[in-house]
Amino acid sequence: MFQVPEVTPEEAKRMLEEDPNVVLLDVRTPPEHVQVRIPNSLLIPLDELRYAYANLPKDKKYIVYCRSGERSAFATYFLRHMGYEAYNLAGGILVWPYERESGIPS
């Protein structure tokens, strides 16, 4: 298994509050994203990431999450390999203790 840098929910929340260049990236499926998500997260499903990553600005930092942290670990590895600063949210949305939202994003 490959190693990628991870952040805890507490570290991720602090990064999001302190740095306007941090982006939350959800790599789950669209139905999962509509069901529940962390507010203000950008959805790029893992199977689309290999095509869509080039549209992501390289001057941002990415905190990548999925349901439990497995898909996001792969996405984080891929993004770092492509030259992005990316971190895996340890435990995924399952362990996110802060605000969540559901429904179609506006």
Side-chain angles (χ1 to χ4, degrees):
M1 192 66 179
F2 47 85
Q3 289 291 323
V4 295
E6 288 192 329
V7 292
T8 65
E10 297 76 22
E11 290 168 325
K13 186 174 192 318
R14 187 171 60 250
M15 287 170 71
L16 288 161
E17 289 170 350
E18 294 175 359
D19 188 345
N21 286 316
V22 173
V23 176
L24 262 174
L25 180 61
D26 183 352
V27 295
R28 300 172 304 151
T29 64
E32 287 176 298
H33 187 75
V34 168
Q35 185 179 24
V36 63
R37 68 188 165 276
I38 300 171
N40 302 312
S41 53
L42 171 67
L43 174 67
I44 302 179
L46 181 59
D47 60 354
E48 295 173 21
L49 188 60
R50 68 180 180 264
Y51 308 110
Y53 79 90
N55 297 323
L56 295 172
K58 281 209 171 168
D59 62 344
K60 305 280 187 193
K61 296 177 193 164
Y62 296 90
I63 297 174
V64 188
Y65 78 94
C66 63
R67 192 179 74 84
S68 64
E70 195 169 314
R71 285 174 283 178
S72 55
F74 182 81
T76 300
Y77 177 83
F78 173 78
L79 287 171
R80 291 183 77 84
H81 184 73
M82 300 313 257
Y84 291 83
E85 185 174 350
Y87 304 89
N88 187 27
L89 179 62
I93 198 168
L94 285 179
V95 300
W96 183 256
Y98 308 109
E99 186 182 357
R100 299 167 183 226
E101 62 186 16
S102 57
I104 309 254
S106 50

